[in-house]
Amino acid sequence: MLSEMRIQGLGVIDDATLELDPGLTVLTGETGAGKTMVVTGLNLLGGGRAESSRVSAGARRAVVEGRFAASPGALELAEEVGAEADDDGSLIAARTVSADGRSRAHLGGRSVPNGVLGRLAESQLAVHGQNDQLRLLRGSDQRALLDRFAGDPVAVPLASYRSVRTEWLEVVTELAERRDNARRLAQEADLLRHGLTEIEAAEPQPGEDRELVEQARRMAEADDLRAAAEGARLALSGSDDGDTPGAVGLAGHAKGLAEGSGDPALEELGPRLTEAIAVLADAAAELSGYLDRLDADPEQLSRVLTRQAELKALTRKYAADTDGVLAWAATARERLAGLDTSDEALAELSARRDALAADLAGHAAEITAARTEAAARLAEATTAELAGLAMKDATLQVAVLPRAAADAGPVLEVGGRRCQAGSSGVDEVEIRLVPHSGAVAQPLHKGASGGELSRVMLALEVALAGADPVPTMVFDEVDAGVGGRAAVEIGRRLAQLASRHQVIVVTHLPQVAAYADRHLVVQKASGEGVTRSSVRRLSDEERTQELARMLAGMDDTDTGRAHAEELRTAATAHREADRAAARPADLAAARSRRAGTPRTGAAQTAGGTRRRRVARAG
């Protein structure tokens, strides 16, 4: 639940704090006062798109903060990102939008990616506006709405369907490529085989080209290297005839003189000279070994140069060095294994494709069955809600239809029918409205007026309430195009919805505002050519005045206030009666959940439309 919200520098709102309670909260105000900015702020808290144009003129930034009474899931998310809850267990989310368009998000005092606020909103907040009515006209959104209502019976097989579909499409694509490009693939395979044969014949070794370069350099410079090494060895070991002493002999002579001097100070040098002699002798031995290995054989040099030329022929074609040539060969072998266009390979791929298709069709049929069952329940529940929204003769139908196979796109046979296998299954979902008895069912985009569409959307939301765990629901002028008795019933349904959710409604209808548990008003004031708005909570007397203003701008007349009082009295009576009637059903639902048994049809009927919805959701 959202318990508090503060807005600074957003649109015409300079600084406003909204204290929000459970139940139904309405937000009203004159046109242009800034009601929309409250919804914009809620969208920002939910990770929505940030636009610098929303920042107040002259302000450096806009800031929206919200305090959520966190659920276990929200607290788990906070722990995941290192955020901390307040002492009372609530979480503070914040969104900052600067005038230059940069946006920052915070949760529990820690800077977080904007997507984290989006994840928080998924479990805490749902904003429904007039754009949702337009989305309701699209088939993909109607299917998503039905899937949301159906829950796990659709979600579980749909996840399996998508996994199998990905693998199936890969096999279908590979099979088509092998069949349609057999000649090209055969040519590619021949080239790969030729390259592998050439490389395998040469048998290059890792790093061999670098070793050959070093070896050839030493052999080409053998005389100079021999002279250098011989001179170094002579300096250490001396000449073989003893005429030229070496460093080893001289160090030995020095050691003898020091140790035979009888002076303790000189004798202490003996061990150090012994170490020096050992080091010099080791170096002399290594130089002798180097001279033995140094080969100036012209035939050996010729063999090295020939091997270099052989490897260069490979590096010119396949890679820059022998390591790259070996890597090319490994890739070529892997690619060659996938270019098998033989009848046996194609038959194996076809069998795998058919097996995956059968598995996929099974998942698709399971999804269709679950959607069909849920569609009947959703249609029944929504029709019952419409009856209470001044559309008593209207009927809502939710049709689950196969997606006909198209010229483009993957085709799957399900139950003997060829269907297009989309990412969400093989079904199309179409919501239809029969506005009155004798009328023909029409899709929503053809058969519903603006006012009817508003009521259908609200009826669907009420029917979905049991399947939607989000504790806070926001409605932005979903009552557009509605008036009279229908407006009263919308207010009554929102009040019923508020017995299970925190409901925040932006409205221009007094019939809706009269049902509120608390009433907030956005007021604007102008000064120095700049309009600024604030939000405040109304007292009972102020509520009556605001309703009178909304009725006909008669907030300063006795007639207007009397009309407003009458409207409030009727709304209060309806609200209390509805909530009293709902309590037995809630207790029965709780007992049923504790006992682990489903509600009976009689129990569903006894409590009216609200109890039917709860039973189905359970």
Side-chain angles (χ1 to χ4, degrees):
M1 188 185 80
L2 182 63
S3 59
E4 187 179 2
M5 178 180 176
R6 185 177 183 185
I7 301 173
Q8 294 175 292
L10 188 65
V12 295
I13 297 181
D14 189 27
D15 192 344
T17 299
L18 288 72
E19 295 183 358
L20 303 167
D21 299 316
L24 176 60
T25 298
V26 298
L27 191 71
T28 64
E30 295 181 1
T31 301
K35 300 188 297 295
T36 302
M37 288 301 102
V38 175
V39 179
T40 299
L42 288 166
N43 276 315
L44 288 173
L45 278 183
R49 181 180 177 183
E51 298 180 4
S52 59
S53 60
R54 297 294 191 181
V55 179
S56 299
R60 294 173 52 198
R61 61 182 183 175
V63 181
V64 182
E65 295 178 295
R67 180 184 293 274
F68 291 89
S71 64
L75 293 175
E76 184 178 342
L77 173 63
E79 183 178 357
E80 177 186 330
V81 299
E84 294 184 0
D86 276 11
D87 294 339
D88 61 358
S90 63
L91 270 175
I92 296 179
R95 187 80 180 278
T96 303
V97 183
S98 62
D100 60 7
R102 289 180 296 178
S103 170
R104 297 181 64 186
H106 291 81
L107 180 65
R110 178 175 291 273
S111 179
V112 296
N114 185 43
V116 171
L117 294 189
R119 291 171 60 189
L120 176 68
E122 287 178 2
S123 63
Q124 296 290 313
L125 187 67
V127 180
H128 305 279
Q130 296 184 54
N131 288 335
D132 292 280
Q133 297 181 24
L134 298 177
R135 287 199 295 269
L136 190 60
L137 301 179
R138 296 197 292 260
S140 58
D141 288 285
Q142 294 178 5
R143 183 176 59 243
L145 184 145
L146 176 60
D147 290 352
R148 173 181 151 206
F149 178 78
D152 286 347
V154 167
V156 173
L158 183 57
S160 300
Y161 169 90
R162 286 171 173 164
S163 176
V164 175
R165 178 178 180 270
T166 298
E167 187 177 359
W168 175 65
L169 289 177
E170 290 174 354
V171 173
V172 168
T173 301
E174 183 179 355
L175 183 59
E177 180 181 331
R178 290 197 191 187
R179 284 176 171 171
D180 297 342
N181 302 293
R183 179 177 298 176
R184 179 185 62 79
L185 294 177
Q187 292 173 349
E188 182 182 352
D190 285 344
L191 291 175
L192 291 175
R193 291 191 191 96
H194 174 77
L196 288 172
T197 299
E198 192 173 10
I199 293 171
E200 290 167 359
E203 296 184 349
Q205 302 300 313
E208 183 182 1
D209 50 349
R210 295 189 298 273
E211 294 176 3
L212 288 174
V213 168
E214 183 63 23
Q215 187 177 354
R217 184 189 68 78
R218 288 200 305 268
M219 296 179 71
E221 301 173 357
D223 292 339
D224 294 338
L225 295 173
R226 183 180 297 280
E230 183 61 39
R233 188 195 64 78
L234 181 63
L236 292 177
S237 301
S239 60
D240 294 336
D241 56 13
D243 291 340
T244 304
V248 175
L250 292 174
H253 181 63
K255 176 177 178 290
L257 291 174
E259 291 179 342
S261 67
D263 185 348
L266 288 176
E267 290 176 350
E268 289 179 356
L269 296 174
R272 295 170 60 187
L273 289 170
T274 300
E275 293 177 2
I277 292 169
V279 172
L280 293 172
D282 286 345
E286 290 184 14
L287 286 169
S288 296
Y290 177 83
L291 287 168
D292 292 339
R293 292 192 305 271
L294 192 62
D295 192 353
D297 182 4
E299 292 184 2
Q300 177 62 20
L301 178 60
S302 176
R303 287 193 293 271
V304 169
L305 295 177
T306 299
R307 180 60 174 171
Q308 279 187 307
E310 187 177 8
L311 294 180
K312 283 182 179 178
L314 297 180
T315 56
R316 280 196 301 268
K317 291 182 180 180
Y318 305 109
D321 53 26
T322 53
D323 290 345
V325 171
L326 291 171
W328 183 94
T331 303
R333 291 188 189 96
E334 184 177 342
R335 172 62 176 162
L336 193 59
L339 293 179
D340 189 355
T341 57
S342 65
D343 292 341
E344 294 80 5
L346 294 179
E348 183 179 349
L349 265 182
S350 297
R352 187 177 173 209
R353 176 204 59 192
D354 295 343
L356 288 170
D359 191 16
L360 189 63
H363 291 306
E366 186 178 355
I367 295 168
T368 300
R371 281 177 175 157
T372 302
E373 187 274 336
R377 290 190 290 112
L378 179 60
E380 181 185 355
T382 308
T383 297
E385 293 298 333
L386 288 176
L389 290 171
M391 294 178 67
K392 65 177 182 179
D393 294 326
T395 302
L396 196 80
Q397 299 177 358
V398 183
V400 179
L401 309 169
R403 299 178 65 182
D407 294 337
V411 176
L412 182 70
E413 185 170 318
V414 181
R417 179 178 295 177
R418 288 169 53 83
C419 304
Q420 186 172 1
S423 60
S424 296
V426 297
D427 305 318
E428 295 282 6
V429 174
E430 185 176 79
I431 298 179
R432 303 165 179 165
L433 179 67
V434 182
H436 53 81
S437 300
V440 178
Q442 292 283 353
L444 284 181
H445 67 278
K446 294 181 179 179
S449 65
E452 288 172 336
L453 196 57
S454 296
R455 283 177 277 176
V456 168
M457 194 189 81
L458 179 57
L460 285 168
E461 286 299 336
V462 173
L464 285 163
D468 196 339
V470 177
T472 300
M473 306 182 76
V474 182
F475 294 91
D476 180 21
E477 296 192 3
V478 295
D479 48 18
V482 177
R485 179 64 182 172
V488 171
E489 293 302 333
I490 285 179
R492 189 170 184 175
R493 281 300 181 275
L494 288 170
Q496 290 179 356
L497 188 61
S499 66
R500 292 187 175 276
H501 298 261
Q502 180 188 41
V503 179
I504 302 170
V505 179
V506 178
T507 183
H508 65 281
L509 292 180
Q511 296 96 324
V512 172
Y515 280 89
D517 295 297
R518 69 210 49 81
H519 191 146
L520 305 178
V521 65
V522 182
Q523 292 180 319
K524 61 181 179 179
S526 299
E528 299 180 0
V530 178
T531 299
R532 288 288 182 262
S533 294
S534 61
V535 182
R536 66 185 185 89
R537 184 169 179 169
L538 299 182
S539 66
D540 281 350
E541 177 61 28
E542 289 171 329
R543 283 190 65 183
T544 300
Q545 292 179 357
E546 174 66 5
L547 289 178
R549 180 198 66 78
M550 297 173 69
L551 281 165
M554 299 188 300
D555 51 317
D556 57 348
T557 68
D558 292 339
T559 302
R561 284 193 292 271
H563 193 179
E565 282 287 1
E566 182 181 359
L567 185 60
R568 283 191 62 192
T569 300
T572 301
H574 286 161
R575 187 179 62 216
E576 292 178 354
D578 289 340
R579 291 181 180 177
R583 288 190 192 103
D586 293 339
L587 290 173
R591 293 192 203 99
S592 176
R593 285 192 296 270
R594 286 195 297 269
T597 57
R599 299 282 305 278
T600 63
Q604 292 175 3
T605 305
T609 59
R610 182 164 192 81
R611 297 197 296 281
R612 284 197 296 272
R613 182 176 65 255
V614 172
R616 294 192 185 104

